[in-house]
């Protein structure tokens, strides 16, 4: 399996994304260590290191250092980025002071680049917590992962930490005032591109009724987990079918 290099600092990029334009990435996780509540079969980072207790909370950047580094990076840009995106080496809401970081980021955005949008790429696993939900709701673009609509596919595809269930995630997402869903569509030993797995995902999208759904596929096959990309045509057909079925705007990237 090819493994991507982890982010070694708080700020990375800017990176040009089809979905997000010119985006300055902000890694709230410890440098060079993946910290996530999932271990998705398609993940390009190494095996997850979850944070079940205080010992796992070591190595996160402080609130002050995050805000200082982001401020310096914005100053260095020739023009404001399209997006400031909370993402990085795992699940950004796991930062122990996540609400304080978001407050500081909103202040920075307001003061330095009000034309930039503030986004998060989250795996949705902590949206059942009111404080996290209310914090994420303050961002311009809450982009939340939903790769499966049935517990079996969820468990095989996302390989979550033991306390996390799909129903808890769906309930958390349902309680969000606004929502953008992102879904990775794959084929292979575990798949969500066809059959019952696809139908269950479509039903969950309809249940959540987000503002928009962004679907995409793996950038490359992940041989060890039997993950295969879906074709461009398949992705576009799925986007049309999902849009028709749910009434939600669905874009293939
Ligand atoms: S949620 Fe993201 S970082 Fe976490 S395992 Fe899945 S792909 Fe990797």
């Amino acid at each position: 399996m090819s493994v991507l290099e982890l982010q070694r600092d708080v700020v990375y990029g800017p990176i040009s994304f089809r979905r997000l334009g010119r985006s300055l990435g902000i890694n709230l996780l410890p440098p060079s260590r993946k910290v996530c509540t999932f271990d998705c079969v398609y993940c390009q980072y190494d095996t997850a290191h979850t944070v079940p207790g205080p010992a796992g909370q070591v190595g996160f950047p402080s609130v002050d250092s995050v805000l200082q580094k982001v401020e310096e990076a914005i100053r260095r840009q020739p023009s404001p980025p399209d997006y400031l995106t909370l993402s990085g080496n795992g699940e950004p809401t796991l930062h122990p002071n996540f609400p304080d970081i978001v407050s500081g980021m909103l202040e920075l955005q307001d003061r330095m680049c009000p034309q930039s949008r503030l986004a998060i790429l989250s795996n949705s696993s902590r949206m059942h917590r009111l404080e996290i939900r209310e914090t994420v709701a303050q961002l311009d673009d809450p982009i939340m992962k939903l790769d499966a609509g049935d517990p079996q596919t969820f468990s095989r595809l996302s390989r979550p930490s033991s306390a996390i269930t799909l129903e808890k995630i769906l309930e958390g997402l349902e309680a969000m005032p606004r929502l953008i869903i992102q879904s990775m569509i794959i084929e292979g030993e575990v798949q969500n591109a066809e059959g019952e797995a696809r139908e269950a995902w479509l039903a969950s999208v309809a249940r959540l009724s987000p503002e928009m759904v962004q679907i995409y596929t793996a950038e490359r096959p992940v041989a060890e987990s039997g993950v295969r990309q879906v074709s461009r045509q398949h992705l576009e057909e799925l986007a049309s079918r999902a849009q028709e079925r749910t009434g939600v705007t669905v874009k293939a990237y």
Side-chain angles (χ1 to χ4, degrees):
M1 167 175 167
S2 61
V3 174
L4 271 191
E5 201 162 316
L6 289 148
Q7 301 304 333
R8 295 187 183 280
D9 208 339
V10 170
V11 180
Y12 56 99
I15 299 171
S16 286
F17 286 111
R18 280 203 291 162
R19 288 190 291 160
L20 297 175
R22 207 171 112 259
S23 166
L24 208 55
I26 300 160
N27 170 37
L28 303 186
L29 291 313
S32 305
R33 181 158 72 97
K34 171 173 150 182
V35 182
C36 195
T37 42
F38 287 1
D39 186 22
C40 303
V41 285
Y42 57 77
C43 187
Q44 296 291 323
Y45 289 144
D46 211 345
T47 310
H49 299 266
T50 48
V51 280
Q57 303 205 347
V58 173
F60 285 80
S62 71
V63 177
D64 286 348
S65 85
V66 169
L67 297 177
Q68 189 191 335
K69 286 182 177 184
V70 173
E71 178 161 351
E72 286 166 4
I74 295 172
R75 283 193 202 290
R76 281 198 302 273
Q77 302 305 305
S79 61
D82 299 316
Y83 272 90
L84 302 170
T85 307
L86 303 172
S87 180
N89 298 340
E91 170 52 29
T93 66
L94 286 171
H95 191 291
N97 306 107
F98 178 67
D100 296 332
I101 289 182
V102 168
S103 298
M105 289 291 306
L106 288 165
E107 189 278 321
L108 269 184
Q109 177 195 30
D110 201 36
R111 180 161 51 86
M112 300 186 71
C113 52
Q115 57 277 71
S116 304
R117 292 182 73 81
L118 193 49
I120 187 168
L121 300 177
S122 164
N123 69 11
S124 312
S125 62
R126 290 174 35 96
M127 289 309 116
H128 59 284
R129 297 170 69 128
L130 180 63
E131 189 189 27
I132 299 291
R133 210 159 58 227
E134 287 180 345
T135 303
V136 168
Q138 296 174 58
L139 303 170
D140 296 311
D141 291 85
I143 306 177
M144 315 304 294
K145 184 187 288 298
L146 181 74
D147 291 342
D150 66 278
Q152 198 189 10
T153 306
F154 172 65
S155 140
R156 294 185 64 212
L157 199 153
S158 304
R159 302 189 295 196
S161 310
S162 56
I164 300 169
T165 65
L166 177 63
E167 186 53 31
K168 216 157 143 184
I169 287 179
L170 291 172
E171 284 169 10
L173 292 177
E174 248 177 337
M176 294 272 295
R178 39 181 299 270
L179 182 64
I180 297 167
I181 291 290
Q182 58 162 342
S183 302
M184 168 73 89
I185 306 298
I186 53 169
E187 286 179 331
E189 287 165 25
V190 191
Q191 62 85 27
N192 56 358
E194 291 172 355
E196 287 175 12
R198 178 192 61 197
E199 294 307 307
W201 172 78
L202 283 170
S204 292
V205 169
R207 168 176 165 184
L208 295 175
S209 191
E211 275 177 22
M212 178 188 180
V213 179
Q214 305 173 340
I215 62 173
Y216 53 103
T217 190
E219 279 180 22
R220 52 188 82 86
V222 183
E224 195 182 289
S225 326
V227 170
R228 297 199 311 270
Q229 300 137 298
V230 299
S231 68
R232 183 75 211 160
Q233 189 189 350
H234 189 131
L235 209 58
E236 280 170 7
E237 281 170 7
L238 180 59
S240 308
R241 176 193 281 252
Q243 188 154 318
E244 214 169 277
R245 167 91 175 270
T246 63
V248 174
T249 302
V250 183
K251 289 193 180 163
Y253 289 90

